[in-house]
Amino acid sequence: MGMNDMNFKYKMMMSPERVKHQGEWYRIFSHGWVHGDYMHLFFNVFVLYNFGELLERFFVYKFDQLGYLLFALLYLGGLIAASIPSLKKHSDNSSYWSLGASGAVSALLFAFIVINPTASLGLLFIPVPIPAWIFGILYMAFEYYSNHNGRTNIAHDAHIFGGLFGIIFIFAVIPGSAQNLIQQIIG
């Protein structure tokens, strides 16, 4: 709907200035439900499809019915965490707008990496499968570099903060997951 109705899209997009000065806090969540174009939507759905169901099953296996809630908290927490950089940097900038669920799906991706660091990943731009933990490092390095040197309209800091949220979330809800991550990488 947001790709065909620009008024709807602008009502849903993240605007840190409107959040701060007009109290439109809903935008912290609503921006994750609209996307710039079908390619943007495809990338987010691709990551959600590839990691979402696996994580949901993992949480339900580990925590029974509470697992569904934990999965939802991971996703929504990633969406909120991805909003933090723009809220800090652009709260007085009326021309800054962002949209998409990339921060939330980054949280899912990095939660998966913490749980399965030795799994083989080869996502679109890396056609050769590599261990998930190496993929995670390369992904974060790319996002960090792009955030500081890129001249795109992509909120790379949202990807970073979403990913960091996914890591911290798993460390918080699964005792010993940090040690397990290290053991799997070095062992």
Side-chain angles (χ1 to χ4, degrees):
M1 184 173 161
M3 286 185 239
N4 298 320
D5 184 345
M6 292 307 286
N7 287 328
F8 176 78
K9 184 186 280 190
Y10 283 114
K11 287 178 185 174
M12 300 288 283
M13 289 173 68
M14 176 58 156
S15 169
E17 186 266 342
R18 287 181 179 242
V19 169
K20 178 182 177 184
H21 297 290
Q22 296 178 21
E24 296 178 3
W25 292 96
Y26 72 90
R27 291 178 181 275
I28 293 171
F29 297 99
S30 65
H31 78 276
W33 302 101
V34 291
H35 291 78
D37 56 35
Y38 287 104
M39 188 57 73
H40 184 206
L41 177 63
F42 169 79
F43 278 111
N44 284 322
V45 170
F46 180 80
V47 175
L48 177 62
Y49 176 79
N50 281 288
F51 300 102
E53 186 179 358
L54 293 170
L55 284 168
E56 183 181 49
R57 277 196 252 162
F58 171 81
F59 283 131
V60 170
Y61 172 78
K62 189 141 185 83
F63 299 102
D64 200 28
Q65 295 300 307
L66 179 61
Y68 293 112
L69 176 62
L70 291 173
F71 179 78
L73 290 174
L74 171 62
Y75 187 87
L76 293 173
L79 196 58
I80 294 167
S83 300
I84 292 170
S86 65
L87 286 169
K88 291 187 108 181
K89 288 194 292 190
H90 301 287
S91 63
D92 293 316
N93 181 354
S94 62
S95 64
Y96 180 88
W97 297 81
S98 66
L99 73 171
S102 301
V105 297
S106 290
L108 298 181
L109 174 63
F110 278 87
F112 176 85
I113 290 171
V114 170
I115 294 166
N116 301 292
T118 59
S120 291
L121 293 183
L123 299 176
L124 299 179
F125 54 90
I126 300 179
V128 178
I130 59 174
W133 68 273
I134 293 174
F135 177 88
I137 291 170
L138 293 174
Y139 179 87
M140 282 295 194
F142 170 79
E143 293 296 340
Y144 181 83
Y145 174 82
S146 297
N147 188 48
H148 289 87
N149 300 310
R151 300 281 190 253
T152 67
N153 288 329
I154 297 171
H156 295 284
D157 51 2
H159 301 165
I160 294 168
F161 273 64
L164 291 174
F165 178 82
I167 293 167
I168 293 166
F169 184 87
I170 296 299
F171 288 170
V173 300
I174 303 174
S177 57
Q179 294 86 349
N180 183 53
L181 172 66
I182 294 167
Q183 287 174 346
Q184 286 192 51
I185 290 172
I186 64 173

